[in-house]
Amino acid sequence: MTVLHHIPFSRSFRILWLLQEMGLEADLRLYSITDGSLRASEFKAISPVGRVPALEIDGVTIYESAAIVEYLTETRPEHGLGRLPGDAERVPYLEWLGFAETQASILASLNMQHLFMGDPTPASPVVLKLEAARLAATLKAMDRALADREWLLPSGFSAADTMMGFNLFSAPYYVHMDKFENVRAYVKRIEARPAYQRARELDGRQEFYKKDFYEVPNG
Ligand SMILES: N[C@@H](CCC(=O)N[C@@H](CS)C(=O)NCC(=O)O)C(=O)O
């Protein structure tokens, strides 16, 4: 049985979406970021620092989304979603996998400070402003890359695109997207994919964001 350890609207959506692109079914084991379930010793045996995603498949358990993406694309090359060693796009493919985590770590920091800290430890407006600017810089880089292509890699859709799942949900809460025209068109193409739509149906309701946009306080 394939099991995806999952939190709705989080990085584990990347894997939920990739599984749909591959036509693979998985049982979802759901967690919450705030109820302590990620800290349970049974879960730490699966994911040592208590993070999602983790995937149980083919008799192995894997944590870290990029490692899961690599495993799935290497063991199921028939879907053509990875760019395996020897592929002309291997380097940009690996770069986008890493880029997704660079961008996600900024989002996680903004989420932590805007959503999960609160009083009595108010977040620093200086840091929040800096993080929002750093996020905008990553979106600008993506926007430039997407100027002449539909997907992150010139040859077409790949698992690198599925790594953007969580990122593209979260970024509009912190950065106005109007100036990133190519990214917005890219999001529209993503939303038109049947596998993405199936994954969204399976994902569950997000519980993090209570507002449409999070301004820098006193920014
Ligand atoms: N680099 C890891 C990051 C995983 C991660 O931080 N996931 C978040 C959800 S988006 C999480 O589980 N956070 C729980 C926590 O920080 O306690 C990956 O890509 O899988």
Side-chain angles (χ1 to χ4, degrees):
M1 193 199 354
T2 299
V3 176
L4 175 64
H5 298 266
H6 178 61
I7 295 176
F9 234 71
S10 80
R11 284 176 179 89
S12 49
F13 181 82
R14 297 163 167 174
I15 307 306
L16 183 58
W17 177 14
L18 182 56
L19 291 169
Q20 297 307 306
E21 293 284 351
M22 291 181 158
L24 297 173
E25 284 193 12
D27 275 0
L28 293 187
R29 198 97 8 113
L30 290 176
Y31 299 81
S32 156
I33 220 151
T34 49
D35 70 359
S37 52
L38 294 174
R39 306 283 160 258
S41 51
E42 308 85 72
F43 185 59
K44 287 236 181 114
I46 290 169
S47 177
V49 283
R51 307 273 183 113
V52 295
L55 185 71
E56 297 176 44
I57 191 165
D58 305 337
V60 289
T61 302
I62 319 167
Y63 61 91
E64 284 292 340
S65 47
I68 299 170
V69 163
E70 274 301 277
Y71 177 83
L72 288 174
T73 52
E74 284 173 19
T75 54
R76 285 137 177 103
E78 64 277 16
H79 299 287
L81 292 171
R83 299 296 183 269
L84 304 183
D87 190 292
E89 289 181 332
R90 176 72 175 167
V91 169
Y93 171 75
L94 292 175
E95 286 172 339
W96 281 119
L97 296 190
F99 181 100
E101 241 341 72
T102 295
Q103 192 174 55
S105 65
I106 301 172
L107 287 159
S109 160
L110 285 164
N111 281 349
M112 175 67 78
Q113 296 176 82
H114 276 285
L115 312 178
F116 301 122
M117 267 174 47
D119 287 338
T121 323
S124 154
V126 176
V127 173
L128 291 176
K129 199 169 174 178
L130 187 67
E131 291 289 48
R134 279 152 56 86
L135 177 60
T138 65
L139 290 163
K140 192 170 172 189
M142 272 179 92
D143 204 67
R144 233 183 279 126
L146 288 164
D148 62 351
R149 67 187 82 146
E150 294 205 328
W151 305 105
L152 293 175
L153 297 174
S155 65
F157 185 81
S158 72
D161 296 294
T162 67
M163 280 291 284
M164 299 300 165
F166 156 78
N167 305 22
L168 294 170
F169 295 154
S170 298
Y173 288 100
Y174 300 118
V175 168
H176 293 293
M177 299 297 285
D178 20 318
K179 50 182 183 266
F180 306 116
E181 231 176 89
N182 301 322
V183 174
R184 283 191 293 122
Y186 171 65
V187 170
K188 287 229 151 49
R189 286 191 286 278
I190 286 174
E191 287 170 349
R193 294 184 74 82
Y196 176 86
Q197 291 165 6
R198 280 196 301 280
R200 283 307 292 261
E201 276 162 28
L202 294 168
D203 188 23
R205 231 164 40 86
Q206 73 91 7
E207 292 177 341
F208 311 134
Y209 302 102
K210 312 284 184 214
K211 300 197 258 181
D212 291 339
F213 192 81
Y214 288 81
E215 298 284 355
V216 176
N218 313 316

